[in-house]
Amino acid sequence: MERRSSGLQRLAREVAKFGAVGGAGVLVNLGVFNLVRHVSDLPVVRASIIATIVAIVFNYLGFRYWTYRDRDRGGRPRELMLFLVFSVIGLVIENGVLYLATYGFGWDSPLQSNVFKFVGIGVATLFRFWSYRTWVFRALPAEPGEPVTRPEPDSSERVR
């Protein structure tokens, strides 16, 4: 039972760290969204896409170097490619909600745009959490009873 509790504690820490980075990313996303809308004449969804891209970069740095810093660091190009693929899917989910609200229902006041931007972020976050932890920032295999440790250096880093 202690092992299960330890796993739940690790998951709780992961969710908390993911939430902290994600919460900061939401502030970046909404801040950039409102700044772009205020200083330009871009349509609402285009402004939102720009904001989402800025938040994706912010979030990658936070996830890689804080939330998932103890995860496998081998295969960085693969990790980055998967992160971008799943982030683009999240971008489509997030901005699809905003698009539907704006152009499908005509809800395009600044308040309505922010509400539906936020709702889209929430829906996309569920997908992102699952995909990032499952496919992008994969846990290192641990021996029974041992904590997860840093990865072994790859063959190019080993001292001969």
Side-chain angles (χ1 to χ4, degrees):
M1 199 63 159
E2 181 179 318
R3 194 157 160 68
R4 175 179 274 170
S5 175
S6 175
L8 288 175
Q9 289 172 343
R10 274 196 307 272
L11 179 61
R13 279 192 304 274
E14 179 183 342
V15 169
K17 285 181 169 185
F18 186 92
V21 171
V26 167
L27 295 177
V28 167
N29 198 333
L30 290 173
V32 171
F33 173 64
N34 284 292
L35 178 66
V36 170
R37 293 226 36 222
H38 182 71
V39 301
S40 76
D41 292 328
L42 285 176
V44 66
V45 175
R46 287 187 190 157
S48 179
I49 290 170
I50 290 168
T52 303
I53 291 169
V54 171
I56 286 170
V57 171
F58 175 87
N59 286 347
Y60 178 77
L61 296 172
F63 293 144
R64 167 42 52 213
Y65 297 106
W66 189 57
T67 304
Y68 296 114
R69 69 176 175 233
D70 61 335
R71 299 291 176 98
D72 186 5
R73 292 176 188 234
R76 265 305 154 87
R78 177 187 173 277
E79 172 188 285
L80 189 53
M81 185 213 42
L82 287 172
F83 183 84
L84 290 174
V85 166
F86 290 120
S87 293
V88 167
I89 294 169
L91 178 144
V92 170
I93 293 168
E94 173 183 329
N95 291 290
V97 170
L98 182 60
Y99 182 90
L100 181 63
T102 303
Y103 300 109
F105 295 102
W107 297 328
D108 61 357
S109 74
L111 177 61
Q112 290 168 326
S113 293
N114 276 284
V115 167
F116 287 101
K117 171 84 170 150
F118 188 77
V119 169
I121 290 170
V123 173
T125 295
L126 296 173
F127 169 77
R128 288 176 177 135
F129 178 73
W130 169 80
S131 64
Y132 293 166
R133 80 180 309 265
T134 303
W135 298 102
V136 181
F137 302 108
R138 296 173 53 156
L140 293 169
E143 295 296 320
E146 289 186 19
V148 174
T149 58
R150 300 189 96 163
E152 289 289 321
D154 66 18
S155 60
S156 66
E157 296 175 339
R158 288 191 182 131
V159 178
R160 296 177 191 231

